Each structure stands twice: as C-alpha cells, then as structure tokens.
Amino acid sequence: RSLLYCLGSGIAGPIFERIENSGRCTALALLATGLSSFPIPFITNYYILVAVATLQGFMMGCLDCGGNYAIVQLHGGDGPEMQLLHFGFGLGAWLGPTAVGIALQFAGMSWAWAGVGVVHMAMGLVFCALPPLRKTTKPEPETETACEDLQRSPGHGINRVALIVFCCIFLLVYVGLETAVGNFLAVYGEMALHMSKETAT
C-alpha cells in the first residue's frame, strides 16, 4: 500500500497537468478509494486483500498530490490556502482514530470500514458536481523579473536540485517515522497497557 502510495503521488502530478478538469480525477480517486473500503472487512484471502490495499494506496497517493495541485492551481503560491489544506490533514489525523475507535466499539469492524467508504464516496460526488478548476492568472511582472534573476544566478540549478533532494529525504524519514510511531502506539497500548483494541486505536 505504501509503495503504491508513492507511485500514485509520483505519477498523479503529470496526469493532473495534462487533464483540463483535474477535479474529475480527484473525484475518480475518491470514489475508487471509497468503493475499495467496503469489501475489506469481508476479504479472507491474503492476496486479494493485498490487491485491494494496493489499489487504495495508489488512489490515496493521487488524492494527496491532487489536493496540493488543486490549491496551487486555484490560488497560486500565496495565501493561507495550502496551510489550510495541511491543517485539514492534521485535523483528520487527530479526529480519524477517535471516530474509528468509536465505530469499532459500538458498530464493529465492518461498519467502521463502511463509514470510511461512505465519506470518501460522498466527497467524490461533490467533486463530480464542481465546475472545472480555473488556473491562476499570470504572476505580476515584478515576480517574473525576480524569478528570472534567480534562475540566472550562479549555482541556481545545483541549489534547486539539492533542495529538492533534501526535502524528499526529510519527508521520507519524517512521514515514515510518523506512520511507524502512530502504529506502534496503538500496539503498545493494546499489548503493554492491556487496553482494548478500540481504546488503543
């Protein structure tokens, strides 16, 4: 799932740039993620479960990249919109486990996954109804001049590549540790502190 998440994030950017209505791509990814959530509690074959989780990982990578792309396309690089998007990621990471834990406690595993699927599909239908995203206007002449001066500065290409490589390594380590520690805390609560699975989640 994580490997296909990386692949989805990597190839979604060029796809979104070449398609006029990128919102429809986001809707397709949301609907596919939602549909793949419903059968997960009932799958008993390991390889089928891997295939469904792989599809989900790929679509979620497309969603992550698509959300960032849509914000840049609509609002450019200025303003609080990108911060608001990532605040939403953080808020979901905080509220999501709580909601799933409550669903597991009162409704069971199948209903918890069904809730995840319903939320994704509802948002997918919303994106289907939205008008095509419109690109931002061209940057101001002062901004264009500053960018051209920066590109002509010595070492610009090397510095840019080094920054991109550093950011990729940082995100690789940070997100990997964040996911690993998050999963470890639930297991630790269940095994070492003898919590129920719902409470540990």
Side-chain angles (χ1 to χ4, degrees):
R1 184 178 183 181
S2 299
L3 181 62
L4 267 291
Y5 183 95
C6 293
L7 182 63
S9 300
I11 71 172
I15 292 175
F16 276 87
E17 286 182 353
R18 286 169 173 78
I19 294 178
E20 183 177 350
N21 190 353
S22 59
R24 295 292 168 86
C25 292
T26 305
L28 177 63
L30 282 164
L31 291 172
T33 303
L35 282 173
S36 64
S37 298
F38 291 105
I40 285 179
F42 308 104
I43 296 174
T44 57
N45 185 285
Y46 172 77
Y47 297 102
I48 297 176
L49 182 61
V50 168
V52 173
T54 298
L55 170 66
Q56 237 186 14
F58 179 79
M59 291 301 174
M60 290 173 79
C62 292
L63 285 174
D64 197 352
C65 181
N68 288 292
Y69 177 80
I71 292 295
V72 172
Q73 191 179 34
L74 285 170
H75 302 287
D78 299 327
E81 292 83 10
M82 186 66 77
Q83 286 77 17
L84 184 61
L85 174 69
H86 288 271
F87 172 77
F89 290 162
L91 185 63
W94 175 50
L95 294 177
T98 304
V100 169
I102 293 172
L104 286 173
Q105 188 171 2
F106 293 103
M109 181 71 73
S110 58
W111 284 105
W113 277 104
V116 171
V118 167
V119 169
H120 277 87
M121 293 190 69
M123 292 306 300
L125 293 175
V126 170
F127 269 89
C128 283
L130 290 176
L133 300 177
R134 297 187 180 277
K135 293 185 177 180
T136 53
T137 56
K138 291 185 67 178
E140 297 295 326
E142 295 83 1
T143 307
E144 289 184 341
T145 304
C147 290
E148 290 172 1
D149 292 341
L150 180 61
Q151 289 174 358
R152 284 195 295 265
S153 63
H156 165 71
I158 298 173
N159 293 336
R160 184 167 181 249
V161 170
L163 179 62
I164 291 172
V165 170
F166 173 77
C167 288
C168 288
I169 293 172
F170 169 76
L171 289 172
L172 175 70
V173 174
Y174 172 73
V175 175
L177 287 174
E178 179 186 30
T179 304
V181 170
N183 292 333
F184 170 74
L185 286 175
V187 175
Y188 176 79
E190 187 177 352
M191 298 186 69
L193 302 181
H194 308 292
M195 296 177 176
S196 67
K197 182 180 289 187
E198 294 81 9
T199 304
T201 301

